[in-house]
């Protein structure tokens, strides 16, 4: 397994940054309904939306956009590690937001969006 340790390290770093944004945004990682709404917002925010939010002077809006970018990195890390047979996951914030993202993506897929 040597050479694959970076996935675990990446997951730890992503979890830490996700938690930081969560603290700034006042996210309750146990509030599934609020996480689903946040996940829906993340999935509906296109690159132009994200770029505008990242440039916004409002700290909260920037933190949301950063959280959405971290979620994308989180999903890519899981996909890339899975492609080589490594199961990668982060901590409680990662798992809670990841679950909400997957559930909301399924809703969007069923709607044809």
């Amino acid at each position: 397994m040597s050479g694959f340790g970076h996935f675990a390290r990446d997951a730890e770093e992503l979890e830490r940054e996700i938690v930081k944004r969560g603290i700034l945004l006042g996210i309750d990682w146990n509030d599934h309904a609020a996480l689903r709404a946040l996940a829906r917002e993340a999935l509906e925010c296109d690159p132009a939306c994200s770029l505008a939010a990242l440039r916004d002077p409002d700290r909260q809006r920037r933190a949301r956009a950063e959280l959405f970018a971290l979620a994308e990195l989180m999903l890519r890390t899981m996909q890339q590690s899975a492609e080589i047979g490594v199961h990668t996951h982060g901590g409680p914030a990662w798992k809670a937001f990841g679950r909400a993202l997957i559930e909301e993506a399924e809703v969007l897929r069923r709607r044809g969006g």
Side-chain angles (χ1 to χ4, degrees):
M1 288 297 276
S2 83
F4 301 119
H6 69 89
F7 288 120
R9 185 181 60 247
D10 290 351
E12 289 174 14
E13 290 173 8
L14 286 167
E15 173 78 10
R16 185 173 41 256
E17 293 305 316
I18 288 168
V19 168
K20 285 181 185 177
R21 293 338 177 272
I23 291 168
L24 180 62
L25 295 167
I27 295 173
D28 176 356
W29 299 109
N30 295 309
D31 185 344
H32 192 64
L35 288 177
R36 290 279 303 261
L38 189 62
R40 190 174 320 112
E41 183 182 340
L43 293 168
E44 291 173 347
C45 187
D46 63 16
C49 162
S50 293
L51 189 56
L54 287 169
R55 292 179 174 164
D56 197 289
D58 182 281
R59 251 179 102 191
Q60 295 266 325
R61 188 150 184 249
R62 279 195 324 268
R64 283 177 106 71
E66 290 167 357
L67 177 64
F68 298 166
L70 290 165
E72 177 68 27
L73 289 173
M74 173 184 77
L75 295 173
R76 284 187 190 179
T77 299
M78 289 181 353
Q79 179 183 18
Q80 289 172 350
S81 67
E83 288 172 357
I84 59 169
V86 176
H87 180 71
T88 301
H89 58 84
W94 167 305
K95 290 176 185 173
F97 196 40
R99 180 174 48 250
L101 285 163
I102 290 167
E103 291 169 357
E104 283 301 314
E106 179 60 23
V107 169
L108 286 174
R109 186 192 65 74
R110 283 195 308 254
R111 288 184 187 155

